[in-house]
């Protein structure tokens, strides 16, 4: 219930106060009776600030347009004048959508604030809070100081209604701090009153007194008697709670006198019942009877059936407290009769008697059971506490177990990922997956594969003259680059043995033009070795290299059960090794099989037949250059070798 928005509508409408008597109809719950001022003004605001007839006219104008409706001012007026919460929400959403599309942040702020009002009226406090926070965002965006203050107070009101005192206090203070920067006004007084009322609701009487006194001073300064009446009423309750009975009596009498000047008799009747509740809770039964009886007297005089029923109910409760059961039952019967008459039921007297007899018998049964319930109450409480304690132990145990399981799973997952990563670095991707899924790798035959071997000349001499660290650093320099080159051309590294490097094209997956691709890699390796002698003078060793290549079929697979290694076997592999050993420094030596596959793309020099161990006389060729110049530029390899 938002006192702030309501009071904004009242600023130029003091004459409307006389309407309060006809619109104050809400009976508040006993634990929330000090929102009387807010409730009264909230009800009034709906009858005064909103004009359904004007809203209908505006809707006719809005929907008469043939084009897309983007008249933000009309939408805002419709939302302001609608009375139905669903309609307020509907037109507020239309306003928000249109204003966002047009980039009008001011209207977007107004749309979200109206949407919050509609949702709050429906009782959807969660969604109302979201809308008010949106309105606060846009108020900050356009630097609307009053809008910022109003949105904060709206948020505080929602938190208050939901029972969240800490947040209500936080946002009330934000709104109040902003309003204090201007002159004293009804909105500022209203915000202070609401904050004080919240503290009163939770029993923090000291803070409630500070805020309510300041609100009263502002209402007096701006000449707003209705605000003063309720501020003084709350001050009366506060002083009663603090034990200042004389001051409480003075405050309450002044509040009631102001309400009488405003002819707000129904509010007086309701307020007296609320005060009777207060003194009843404080243990002052005599004053509780006085206020309840006076409320009944005023309600009878003006025919306020709602408040006659409320007064009867309170008197029944008070007589029951002091042990006057018969008197209590009589007032309870009167309460039921008036309650049902307000509801306009048929055959009021007959049905009231029947219901009264039933409810009185129920009440007597409750009295009879009360003593037995008190005896059992302590045992029930102890049982519940024990059950809660055991439940908490169970929950805590499950929580600890869940944490342990999650930590263990994380460690297992981490180690699994690590082992898989290492396995993929050792073996080809497909082979690694097969090994992880089945625990073994099936050897496979590949019909068309090209195998490349390299060997450094003079490696033995360098190994004798260099330290082990320098020698390893030099070899690592060359082999690291070889790895990048073969990866670039899609080849598979098989292994290194000392200063020998071995790779293949066509395993573990078949590859088209495998001989041509491995030839490009061989030329690039050769060029890299040549350039390294010129550019890396600080390197410990500058090797010359021999390369040999052969093509054909072979077997590939994983050997061993520990320290897995992917390897290839067959006559093709042996012949490739022979091609390397029969090569010369800075040359690529290939077999007849490889020559037949690359002769159209590369210029080769026939060497004739050369004797190979265990093979006899074998034809060999030196690869000299790439025939197609465009291929040179695309693959980044030289056209000829020196």
């Amino acid at each position: 219930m938002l006192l702030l928005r309501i009071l904004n509508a009242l600023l130029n409408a003091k004459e409307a106060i006389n309407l309060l008597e006809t619109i104050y109809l809400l009976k508040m719950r006993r634990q929330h009776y000090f929102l009387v001022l807010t409730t009264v003004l909230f009800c009034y605001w709906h009858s005064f600030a909103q004009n359904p007839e004007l809203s209908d006219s505006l809707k006719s104008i809005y929907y008469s347009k043939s084009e897309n409706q983007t008249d933000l001012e009309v939408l805002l007026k419709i939302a302001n004048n609608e009375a139905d919460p669903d309609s307020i929400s509907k037109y507020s959403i239309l306003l928000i959508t249109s204003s966002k599309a047009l980039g009008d942040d001011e209207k977007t702020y107004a749309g979200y604030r109206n949407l919050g009002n509609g949702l709050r009226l429906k009782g959807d406090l969660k969604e109302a809070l979201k809308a008010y926070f949106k309105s606060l965002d846009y108020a900050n965006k356009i630097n609307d100081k009053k809008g910022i203050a109003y949105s904060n107070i709206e948020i505080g009101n929602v938190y208050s209604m939901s029972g969240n005192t800490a947040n209500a206090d936080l946002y009330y203070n934000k709104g109040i701090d902003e309003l204090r920067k201007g002159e004293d006004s009804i909105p500022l007084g209203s915000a202070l009153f609401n904050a004080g009322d919240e503290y009163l609701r939770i029993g923090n009487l000291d803070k409630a007194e500070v805020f309510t006194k300041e609100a009263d001073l502002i209402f007096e300064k701006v000449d707003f008697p209705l605000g003063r009446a309720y501020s003084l009423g709350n001050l009366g309750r506060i002083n009663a709670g603090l034990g200042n009975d004389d001051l409480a009596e003075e405050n309450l009498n002044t509040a009631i006198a102001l309400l009488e000047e405003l002819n707000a008799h129904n509010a007086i009747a309701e307020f007296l019942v609320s005060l009777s509740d207060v003194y009843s809770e404080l243990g002052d039964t005599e004053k509780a009877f006085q206020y309840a009886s006076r409320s009944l007297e005023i309600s009878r005089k003006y025919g306020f059936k709602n408040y006659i029923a409320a007064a009867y109910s309170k008197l029944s409760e008070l007589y029951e407290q002091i042990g006057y059961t018969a008197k209590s039952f009589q007032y309870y019967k009167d309460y039921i009769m008036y309650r049902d008459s307000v509801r306009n039921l048929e055959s009021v007297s007959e049905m009231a008697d029947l219901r009264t007899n039933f409810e009185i018998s129920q009440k007597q049964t409750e009295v009879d059971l009360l003593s037995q319930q008190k005896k059992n109450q302590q045992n029930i409480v102890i049982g519940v506490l024990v059950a809660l304690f055991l439940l908490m132990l169970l929950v805590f145990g499950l929580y600890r177990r869940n944490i342990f399981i999650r930590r263990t799973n994380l460690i297992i997952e981490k180690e699994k990922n690590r082992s898989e990563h290492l396995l993929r670095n050792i073996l080809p991707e497909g082979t690694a997956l097969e090994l992880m899924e089945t625990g073994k790798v099936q050897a496979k035959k590949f019909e068309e594969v090209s195998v490349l071997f390299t060997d450094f000349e003079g490696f033995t001499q360098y190994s004798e003259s260099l330290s082990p660290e320098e020698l390893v650093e030099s070899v690592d320099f060359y082999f690291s680059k070889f790895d990048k080159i073969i990866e670039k051309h899609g080849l598979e590294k098989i292994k290194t043995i000392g200063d020998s490097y071995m790779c293949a094209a066509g395993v573990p997956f078949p590859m088209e033009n495998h001989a041509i691709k491995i030839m490009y890699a061989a030329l690039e390796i050769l060029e890299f070795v040549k350039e390294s002698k010129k550019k890396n003078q600080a390197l410990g060793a500058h090797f010359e290299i021999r390369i040999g290549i052969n093509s054909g079929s072979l077997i590939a697979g994983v050997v061993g059960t520990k320290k897995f290694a992917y390897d290839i076997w067959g006559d093709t592999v042996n012949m490739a090794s022979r091609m390397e050993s029969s090569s010369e420094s800075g040359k690529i030596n290939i077999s007849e099989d490889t020559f037949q596959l690359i002769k159209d793309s590369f210029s080769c020099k026939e060497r004739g037949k050369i004797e190979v161990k265990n093979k006899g006389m074998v034809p060999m060729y030196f690869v000299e250059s790439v025939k197609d110049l465009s291929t040179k530029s695309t693959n980044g390899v030289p056209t000829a070798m020196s």
Side-chain angles (χ1 to χ4, degrees), residues 334-364:
D334 293 337
Y335 156 68
I336 293 173
M337 291 181 61
Y338 271 93
R339 182 191 67 186
D340 289 347
S341 68
V342 171
R343 294 175 182 174
N344 294 319
L345 298 177
E346 295 180 359
S347 305
V348 173
S349 298
E350 179 181 354
M351 294 184 69
D353 285 337
L354 290 173
R355 184 173 297 178
T356 300
N357 293 334
F358 171 76
E359 292 185 13
I360 288 175
S361 66
Q362 292 294 102
K363 201 172 184 68
Q364 184 61 55

mmCIF file of all heavy atoms in Angstrom, residues 334-364:
data_model
loop_
_atom_site.group_PDB
_atom_site.id
_atom_site.type_symbol
_atom_site.label_atom_id
_atom_site.label_comp_id
_atom_site.label_asym_id
_atom_site.label_seq_id
_atom_site.Cartn_x
_atom_site.Cartn_y
_atom_site.Cartn_z
ATOM 1 N N ASP A 334 -23.638 -12.350 18.987
ATOM 2 C CA ASP A 334 -23.945 -11.076 18.328
ATOM 3 C C ASP A 334 -22.971 -10.811 17.176
ATOM 4 O O ASP A 334 -23.357 -10.303 16.109
ATOM 5 C CB ASP A 334 -23.864 -9.925 19.342
ATOM 6 C CG ASP A 334 -24.963 -10.008 20.390
ATOM 7 O OD1 ASP A 334 -25.994 -10.647 20.109
ATOM 8 O OD2 ASP A 334 -24.769 -9.438 21.488
ATOM 9 N N TYR A 335 -21.706 -11.160 17.403
ATOM 10 C CA TYR A 335 -20.689 -10.973 16.348
ATOM 11 C C TYR A 335 -21.049 -11.774 15.105
ATOM 12 O O TYR A 335 -20.988 -11.274 13.974
ATOM 13 C CB TYR A 335 -19.322 -11.399 16.879
ATOM 14 C CG TYR A 335 -18.338 -11.804 15.812
ATOM 15 C CD1 TYR A 335 -17.822 -10.875 14.906
ATOM 16 C CD2 TYR A 335 -17.936 -13.140 15.700
ATOM 17 C CE1 TYR A 335 -16.933 -11.271 13.923
ATOM 18 C CE2 TYR A 335 -17.041 -13.532 14.719
ATOM 19 C CZ TYR A 335 -16.543 -12.598 13.825
ATOM 20 O OH TYR A 335 -15.673 -12.978 12.851
ATOM 21 N N ILE A 336 -21.462 -13.047 15.292
ATOM 22 C CA ILE A 336 -21.801 -13.898 14.147
ATOM 23 C C ILE A 336 -23.000 -13.339 13.405
ATOM 24 O O ILE A 336 -23.038 -13.299 12.169
ATOM 25 C CB ILE A 336 -22.066 -15.343 14.619
ATOM 26 C CG1 ILE A 336 -20.770 -15.957 15.150
ATOM 27 C CG2 ILE A 336 -22.621 -16.189 13.477
ATOM 28 C CD1 ILE A 336 -20.959 -17.307 15.797
ATOM 29 N N MET A 337 -24.006 -12.859 14.145
ATOM 30 C CA MET A 337 -25.204 -12.316 13.505
ATOM 31 C C MET A 337 -24.859 -11.111 12.640
ATOM 32 O O MET A 337 -25.290 -11.011 11.486
ATOM 33 C CB MET A 337 -26.241 -11.938 14.569
ATOM 34 C CG MET A 337 -26.854 -13.130 15.293
ATOM 35 S SD MET A 337 -28.081 -12.633 16.519
ATOM 36 C CE MET A 337 -29.287 -11.814 15.490
ATOM 37 N N TYR A 338 -24.069 -10.186 13.171
ATOM 38 C CA TYR A 338 -23.713 -8.988 12.397
ATOM 39 C C TYR A 338 -22.769 -9.330 11.243
ATOM 40 O O TYR A 338 -22.846 -8.740 10.164
ATOM 41 C CB TYR A 338 -23.086 -7.932 13.313
ATOM 42 C CG TYR A 338 -24.126 -7.031 13.921
ATOM 43 C CD1 TYR A 338 -24.684 -7.319 15.164
ATOM 44 C CD2 TYR A 338 -24.567 -5.890 13.238
ATOM 45 C CE1 TYR A 338 -25.652 -6.510 15.727
ATOM 46 C CE2 TYR A 338 -25.528 -5.075 13.800
ATOM 47 C CZ TYR A 338 -26.072 -5.374 15.047
ATOM 48 O OH TYR A 338 -27.032 -4.559 15.588
ATOM 49 N N ARG A 339 -21.883 -10.292 11.493
ATOM 50 C CA ARG A 339 -20.980 -10.688 10.418
ATOM 51 C C ARG A 339 -21.760 -11.238 9.235
ATOM 52 O O ARG A 339 -21.503 -10.905 8.078
ATOM 53 C CB ARG A 339 -20.004 -11.752 10.933
ATOM 54 C CG ARG A 339 -18.977 -12.211 9.909
ATOM 55 C CD ARG A 339 -18.226 -13.434 10.389
ATOM 56 N NE ARG A 339 -19.131 -14.593 10.473
ATOM 57 C CZ ARG A 339 -18.762 -15.767 10.969
ATOM 58 N NH1 ARG A 339 -17.550 -15.946 11.457
ATOM 59 N NH2 ARG A 339 -19.625 -16.768 11.006
ATOM 60 N N ASP A 340 -22.741 -12.092 9.527
ATOM 61 C CA ASP A 340 -23.520 -12.686 8.449
ATOM 62 C C ASP A 340 -24.465 -11.673 7.807
ATOM 63 O O ASP A 340 -24.744 -11.747 6.612
ATOM 64 C CB ASP A 340 -24.313 -13.888 8.969
ATOM 65 C CG ASP A 340 -23.409 -15.074 9.282
ATOM 66 O OD1 ASP A 340 -22.235 -15.026 8.863
ATOM 67 O OD2 ASP A 340 -23.865 -16.030 9.926
ATOM 68 N N SER A 341 -24.968 -10.696 8.606
ATOM 69 C CA SER A 341 -25.863 -9.688 8.023
ATOM 70 C C SER A 341 -25.108 -8.814 7.033
ATOM 71 O O SER A 341 -25.660 -8.382 6.028
ATOM 72 C CB SER A 341 -26.491 -8.835 9.126
ATOM 73 O OG SER A 341 -25.488 -8.034 9.754
ATOM 74 N N VAL A 342 -23.856 -8.566 7.317
ATOM 75 C CA VAL A 342 -23.040 -7.792 6.380
ATOM 76 C C VAL A 342 -22.881 -8.543 5.066
ATOM 77 O O VAL A 342 -22.818 -7.965 3.988
ATOM 78 C CB VAL A 342 -21.663 -7.491 7.007
ATOM 79 C CG1 VAL A 342 -20.715 -6.871 5.982
ATOM 80 C CG2 VAL A 342 -21.830 -6.555 8.189
ATOM 81 N N ARG A 343 -22.856 -9.864 5.139
ATOM 82 C CA ARG A 343 -22.685 -10.684 3.938
ATOM 83 C C ARG A 343 -24.002 -10.880 3.182
ATOM 84 O O ARG A 343 -24.048 -11.579 2.179
ATOM 85 C CB ARG A 343 -22.117 -12.054 4.324
ATOM 86 C CG ARG A 343 -20.706 -11.969 4.885
ATOM 87 C CD ARG A 343 -20.224 -13.320 5.361
ATOM 88 N NE ARG A 343 -18.890 -13.223 5.934
ATOM 89 C CZ ARG A 343 -18.266 -14.225 6.540
ATOM 90 N NH1 ARG A 343 -18.868 -15.399 6.668
ATOM 91 N NH2 ARG A 343 -17.051 -14.069 7.022
ATOM 92 N N ASN A 344 -25.120 -10.306 3.695
ATOM 93 C CA ASN A 344 -26.423 -10.360 2.999
ATOM 94 C C ASN A 344 -26.902 -11.795 2.763
ATOM 95 O O ASN A 344 -27.341 -12.151 1.682
ATOM 96 C CB ASN A 344 -26.342 -9.625 1.658
ATOM 97 C CG ASN A 344 -26.109 -8.150 1.844
ATOM 98 O OD1 ASN A 344 -26.691 -7.527 2.721
ATOM 99 N ND2 ASN A 344 -25.248 -7.586 1.012
ATOM 100 N N LEU A 345 -26.771 -12.643 3.787
ATOM 101 C CA LEU A 345 -27.253 -14.015 3.643
ATOM 102 C C LEU A 345 -28.763 -14.056 3.877
ATOM 103 O O LEU A 345 -29.323 -13.231 4.617
ATOM 104 C CB LEU A 345 -26.563 -14.936 4.658
ATOM 105 C CG LEU A 345 -25.044 -15.050 4.525
ATOM 106 C CD1 LEU A 345 -24.510 -15.931 5.643
ATOM 107 C CD2 LEU A 345 -24.679 -15.633 3.180
ATOM 108 N N GLU A 346 -29.447 -15.021 3.261
ATOM 109 C CA GLU A 346 -30.881 -15.194 3.468
ATOM 110 C C GLU A 346 -31.124 -15.853 4.825
ATOM 111 O O GLU A 346 -30.314 -16.640 5.314
ATOM 112 C CB GLU A 346 -31.471 -16.086 2.366
ATOM 113 C CG GLU A 346 -31.394 -15.470 0.993
ATOM 114 C CD GLU A 346 -31.976 -16.372 -0.078
ATOM 115 O OE1 GLU A 346 -32.420 -17.491 0.277
ATOM 116 O OE2 GLU A 346 -31.977 -15.968 -1.231
ATOM 117 N N SER A 347 -32.267 -15.532 5.414
ATOM 118 C CA SER A 347 -32.672 -16.092 6.721
ATOM 119 C C SER A 347 -31.568 -15.886 7.743
ATOM 120 O O SER A 347 -31.058 -16.830 8.370
ATOM 121 C CB SER A 347 -32.990 -17.596 6.595
ATOM 122 O OG SER A 347 -33.963 -17.818 5.605
ATOM 123 N N VAL A 348 -31.195 -14.595 7.936
ATOM 124 C CA VAL A 348 -30.055 -14.272 8.771
ATOM 125 C C VAL A 348 -30.221 -14.817 10.189
ATOM 126 O O VAL A 348 -29.338 -15.490 10.713
ATOM 127 C CB VAL A 348 -29.835 -12.745 8.803
ATOM 128 C CG1 VAL A 348 -28.758 -12.381 9.819
ATOM 129 C CG2 VAL A 348 -29.461 -12.252 7.429
ATOM 130 N N SER A 349 -31.332 -14.548 10.796
ATOM 131 C CA SER A 349 -31.502 -14.922 12.202
ATOM 132 C C SER A 349 -31.450 -16.432 12.401
ATOM 133 O O SER A 349 -30.763 -16.940 13.295
ATOM 134 C CB SER A 349 -32.833 -14.374 12.733
ATOM 135 O OG SER A 349 -32.834 -12.973 12.666
ATOM 136 N N GLU A 350 -32.196 -17.164 11.531
ATOM 137 C CA GLU A 350 -32.249 -18.607 11.689
ATOM 138 C C GLU A 350 -30.874 -19.230 11.484
ATOM 139 O O GLU A 350 -30.418 -20.057 12.290
ATOM 140 C CB GLU A 350 -33.255 -19.196 10.698
ATOM 141 C CG GLU A 350 -33.365 -20.717 10.787
ATOM 142 C CD GLU A 350 -34.355 -21.261 9.783
ATOM 143 O OE1 GLU A 350 -35.016 -20.443 9.116
ATOM 144 O OE2 GLU A 350 -34.446 -22.485 9.649
ATOM 145 N N MET A 351 -30.222 -18.818 10.400
ATOM 146 C CA MET A 351 -28.917 -19.398 10.109
ATOM 147 C C MET A 351 -27.872 -18.960 11.126
ATOM 148 O O MET A 351 -26.961 -19.713 11.461
ATOM 149 C CB MET A 351 -28.472 -19.006 8.690
ATOM 150 C CG MET A 351 -29.359 -19.613 7.598
ATOM 151 S SD MET A 351 -28.756 -19.235 5.956
ATOM 152 C CE MET A 351 -27.271 -20.196 5.930
ATOM 153 N N ALA A 352 -28.014 -17.723 11.614
ATOM 154 C CA ALA A 352 -27.062 -17.246 12.618
ATOM 155 C C ALA A 352 -27.178 -18.066 13.892
ATOM 156 O O ALA A 352 -26.174 -18.409 14.521
ATOM 157 C CB ALA A 352 -27.311 -15.769 12.915
ATOM 158 N N ASP A 353 -28.443 -18.402 14.288
ATOM 159 C CA ASP A 353 -28.626 -19.203 15.489
ATOM 160 C C ASP A 353 -27.994 -20.586 15.320
ATOM 161 O O ASP A 353 -27.330 -21.108 16.226
ATOM 162 C CB ASP A 353 -30.116 -19.348 15.814
ATOM 163 C CG ASP A 353 -30.686 -18.059 16.393
ATOM 164 O OD1 ASP A 353 -29.884 -17.257 16.936
ATOM 165 O OD2 ASP A 353 -31.907 -17.866 16.296
ATOM 166 N N LEU A 354 -28.279 -21.207 14.144
ATOM 167 C CA LEU A 354 -27.714 -22.525 13.898
ATOM 168 C C LEU A 354 -26.183 -22.476 13.930
ATOM 169 O O LEU A 354 -25.534 -23.316 14.549
ATOM 170 C CB LEU A 354 -28.191 -23.055 12.538
ATOM 171 C CG LEU A 354 -29.663 -23.428 12.437
ATOM 172 C CD1 LEU A 354 -30.024 -23.767 10.992
ATOM 173 C CD2 LEU A 354 -29.973 -24.613 13.340
ATOM 174 N N ARG A 355 -25.623 -21.463 13.215
ATOM 175 C CA ARG A 355 -24.167 -21.356 13.159
ATOM 176 C C ARG A 355 -23.601 -21.007 14.523
ATOM 177 O O ARG A 355 -22.540 -21.490 14.924
ATOM 178 C CB ARG A 355 -23.764 -20.310 12.123
ATOM 179 C CG ARG A 355 -22.251 -20.202 11.928
ATOM 180 C CD ARG A 355 -21.897 -19.300 10.785
ATOM 181 N NE ARG A 355 -22.403 -19.828 9.541
ATOM 182 C CZ ARG A 355 -22.264 -19.210 8.363
ATOM 183 N NH1 ARG A 355 -21.661 -18.049 8.304
ATOM 184 N NH2 ARG A 355 -22.741 -19.750 7.267
ATOM 185 N N THR A 356 -24.335 -20.139 15.259
ATOM 186 C CA THR A 356 -23.859 -19.742 16.580
ATOM 187 C C THR A 356 -23.783 -20.948 17.504
ATOM 188 O O THR A 356 -22.785 -21.156 18.207
ATOM 189 C CB THR A 356 -24.790 -18.688 17.185
ATOM 190 O OG1 THR A 356 -24.804 -17.553 16.331
ATOM 191 C CG2 THR A 356 -24.319 -18.284 18.572
ATOM 192 N N ASN A 357 -24.845 -21.759 17.509
ATOM 193 C CA ASN A 357 -24.851 -22.940 18.375
ATOM 194 C C ASN A 357 -23.686 -23.873 18.035
ATOM 195 O O ASN A 357 -23.024 -24.415 18.920
ATOM 196 C CB ASN A 357 -26.181 -23.693 18.242
ATOM 197 C CG ASN A 357 -27.340 -22.892 18.800
ATOM 198 O OD1 ASN A 357 -27.140 -22.044 19.675
ATOM 199 N ND2 ASN A 357 -28.547 -23.133 18.292
ATOM 200 N N PHE A 358 -23.449 -24.043 16.707
ATOM 201 C CA PHE A 358 -22.361 -24.926 16.293
ATOM 202 C C PHE A 358 -21.004 -24.362 16.702
ATOM 203 O O PHE A 358 -20.168 -25.051 17.293
ATOM 204 C CB PHE A 358 -22.414 -25.132 14.777
ATOM 205 C CG PHE A 358 -21.223 -25.857 14.235
ATOM 206 C CD1 PHE A 358 -21.104 -27.230 14.400
ATOM 207 C CD2 PHE A 358 -20.199 -25.169 13.592
ATOM 208 C CE1 PHE A 358 -19.993 -27.905 13.919
ATOM 209 C CE2 PHE A 358 -19.093 -25.843 13.106
ATOM 210 C CZ PHE A 358 -18.996 -27.217 13.265
ATOM 211 N N GLU A 359 -20.801 -23.071 16.420
ATOM 212 C CA GLU A 359 -19.504 -22.476 16.700
ATOM 213 C C GLU A 359 -19.267 -22.348 18.207
ATOM 214 O O GLU A 359 -18.134 -22.481 18.686
ATOM 215 C CB GLU A 359 -19.385 -21.120 16.016
ATOM 216 C CG GLU A 359 -19.337 -21.257 14.493
ATOM 217 C CD GLU A 359 -19.092 -19.926 13.806
ATOM 218 O OE1 GLU A 359 -18.715 -18.967 14.493
ATOM 219 O OE2 GLU A 359 -19.269 -19.861 12.596
ATOM 220 N N ILE A 360 -20.355 -22.102 18.961
ATOM 221 C CA ILE A 360 -20.200 -22.032 20.418
ATOM 222 C C ILE A 360 -19.838 -23.405 20.978
ATOM 223 O O ILE A 360 -18.994 -23.526 21.875
ATOM 224 C CB ILE A 360 -21.488 -21.486 21.075
ATOM 225 C CG1 ILE A 360 -21.622 -19.989 20.765
ATOM 226 C CG2 ILE A 360 -21.476 -21.715 22.586
ATOM 227 C CD1 ILE A 360 -22.915 -19.377 21.264
ATOM 228 N N SER A 361 -20.452 -24.455 20.427
ATOM 229 C CA SER A 361 -20.106 -25.799 20.898
ATOM 230 C C SER A 361 -18.654 -26.128 20.558
ATOM 231 O O SER A 361 -17.949 -26.770 21.343
ATOM 232 C CB SER A 361 -21.049 -26.833 20.272
ATOM 233 O OG SER A 361 -20.846 -26.911 18.869
ATOM 234 N N GLN A 362 -18.227 -25.667 19.355
ATOM 235 C CA GLN A 362 -16.839 -25.858 18.977
ATOM 236 C C GLN A 362 -15.913 -25.105 19.930
ATOM 237 O O GLN A 362 -14.861 -25.599 20.328
ATOM 238 C CB GLN A 362 -16.600 -25.374 17.546
ATOM 239 C CG GLN A 362 -17.292 -26.212 16.484
ATOM 240 C CD GLN A 362 -16.708 -27.603 16.424
ATOM 241 O OE1 GLN A 362 -17.289 -28.559 16.934
ATOM 242 N NE2 GLN A 362 -15.538 -27.736 15.829
ATOM 243 N N LYS A 363 -16.346 -23.912 20.288
ATOM 244 C CA LYS A 363 -15.541 -23.090 21.189
ATOM 245 C C LYS A 363 -15.431 -23.737 22.557
ATOM 246 O O LYS A 363 -14.364 -23.734 23.179
ATOM 247 C CB LYS A 363 -16.176 -21.701 21.285
ATOM 248 C CG LYS A 363 -15.231 -20.610 21.758
ATOM 249 C CD LYS A 363 -15.923 -19.271 21.625
ATOM 250 C CE LYS A 363 -14.985 -18.141 21.988
ATOM 251 N NZ LYS A 363 -13.887 -17.985 21.020
ATOM 252 N N GLN A 364 -16.553 -24.311 23.040
ATOM 253 C CA GLN A 364 -16.535 -24.977 24.348
ATOM 254 C C GLN A 364 -15.620 -26.204 24.311
ATOM 255 O O GLN A 364 -14.897 -26.495 25.273
ATOM 256 C CB GLN A 364 -17.960 -25.398 24.755
ATOM 257 C CG GLN A 364 -18.044 -26.023 26.147
ATOM 258 C CD GLN A 364 -17.580 -25.049 27.222
ATOM 259 O OE1 GLN A 364 -18.089 -23.931 27.317
ATOM 260 N NE2 GLN A 364 -16.593 -25.457 28.016
#
